[in-house]
Amino acid sequence: MTDSHTTTAGADWQAWQESWDRQQEWYMPDREERFRVMLDMVEALVGTAPRVLDLACGTGSITARLLARLPDATSTGVDLDPALLAIAEGTFAGDERVTFVTADLKDPGWATQLPHDSYDAVLTATALHWLHREPLADLYGHLAGLVRDGGVFMNADHMTDETTPRINAAERAQRHARMDRAKEQGALDWAEWWQLAAKDPVLAGPTARRFEIYGEHAEGDTPSPAWHARTLREAGFAEARPVWCSPSDTLLLALK
């Protein structure tokens, strides 16, 4: 693998990875913990050399942690965002364990572009909340066909239990107060991070294309963990339940 600190056309990919991590941690200070549990369950259920699909991979955050922990693993990263994919491709250039595919998960034929017909594990984090319930349920149906028997799908994301409105409101208020304090100390939010990317000579073009595709950041749905588990079972998974949660987020595991 090429040293991730190597600059390509003037870009320090490792610096961009670290900048992305800090921005994401402003929203999710327990981000590394969810990755740790995710990889615990990968190892427990499909072993130490899995074929992994990093779904809506972004900069390759899951792939980086997967390969650091399980060096015999392989990963296919799929995303539509040209700027985040540029960072991912720059970071993993020369690593034969990693392949990236540009595809729109809302396109019914997206999986035909993948290099493999099946995967031991499909992993995603903080990405699918931009899909509404109907397209997300459709996606889960596609994933049931991609995950081999005995394989796993895991989604770590915002999942809101609407039956606990007072708990939700208190958690949200506390979380935003913490974020405000971090902001005062110089933390970058989503919009500010993208403003920096737009000024970078290497990322400016991909960032402009990214906003042509997505527009400003848009939210989809954040249904409850129970909805995710039920929908995954209906899609063809044998078992599904949370394996980790924070006050706002859940890591939902489905076993084929």
Side-chain angles (χ1 to χ4, degrees):
M1 177 178 172
T2 302
D3 183 350
S4 59
H5 287 273
T6 300
T7 58
T8 302
D12 184 338
W13 300 120
Q14 185 60 32
W16 278 110
Q17 290 284 2
E18 291 171 0
S19 174
W20 177 259
D21 284 344
R22 300 295 85 75
Q23 179 255 121
Q24 290 286 285
E25 287 166 359
W26 182 65
Y27 297 95
M28 300 166 290
D30 47 26
R31 184 167 175 257
E32 292 301 329
E33 179 70 4
R34 72 191 68 194
F35 287 145
R36 183 189 67 78
V37 176
M38 178 181 280
L39 295 179
D40 280 349
M41 300 313 296
V42 167
E43 188 171 356
L45 288 162
V46 296
T48 59
R51 176 190 289 169
V52 171
L53 177 61
D54 186 351
L55 190 72
C57 64
T59 66
S61 297
I62 290 174
T63 293
R65 288 152 181 82
L66 170 75
L67 298 180
R69 175 159 170 175
L70 303 175
D72 292 329
T74 59
S75 178
T76 303
V78 59
D79 208 303
L80 186 62
D81 188 314
L84 298 185
L85 278 173
I87 296 171
E89 289 167 349
T91 299
F92 295 98
D95 191 332
E96 296 181 353
R97 298 170 297 177
V98 184
T99 304
F100 291 104
V101 173
T102 300
D104 184 350
L105 297 181
K106 291 185 283 189
D107 178 351
W110 70 269
T112 63
Q113 300 179 61
L114 300 176
H116 306 291
D117 293 332
S118 69
Y119 288 84
D120 301 308
V122 177
L123 310 176
T124 189
T126 327
L128 301 188
H129 60 269
W130 52 266
L131 289 175
H132 291 283
R133 280 172 172 80
E134 185 174 341
L136 182 56
D138 289 342
L139 177 62
Y140 282 172
H142 286 294
L143 296 180
L146 277 175
V147 175
R148 68 161 172 84
D149 288 345
V152 298
F153 166 67
M154 278 183 270
N155 179 15
D157 211 340
H158 315 311
M159 300 185 189
T160 304
D161 187 337
E162 295 176 354
T163 69
T164 59
R166 289 186 296 163
I167 296 172
N168 299 348
E171 181 280 324
R172 186 179 188 279
Q174 184 180 59
R175 174 162 43 91
H176 280 264
R178 174 192 55 77
M179 291 166 69
D180 288 344
R181 291 192 297 271
K183 198 79 162 56
E184 292 171 358
Q185 297 169 6
L188 290 179
D189 64 19
W190 171 269
E192 290 167 332
W193 190 90
W194 281 109
Q195 288 168 8
L196 286 180
K199 296 175 183 176
D200 182 89
V202 176
L203 290 178
T207 297
R209 292 195 297 276
R210 185 247 179 236
F211 280 96
E212 289 173 4
I213 294 169
Y214 292 106
E216 293 301 322
H217 188 59
E219 293 293 333
D221 288 342
T222 56
S224 69
W227 181 93
H228 286 272
R230 180 178 69 254
T231 304
L232 285 160
R233 286 192 294 267
E234 291 171 352
F237 287 90
E239 301 176 15
R241 71 166 175 87
V243 291
W244 173 92
C245 71
S246 72
S248 62
D249 288 20
T250 295
L251 172 58
L252 201 294
L253 183 152
L255 179 67
K256 186 74 181 293

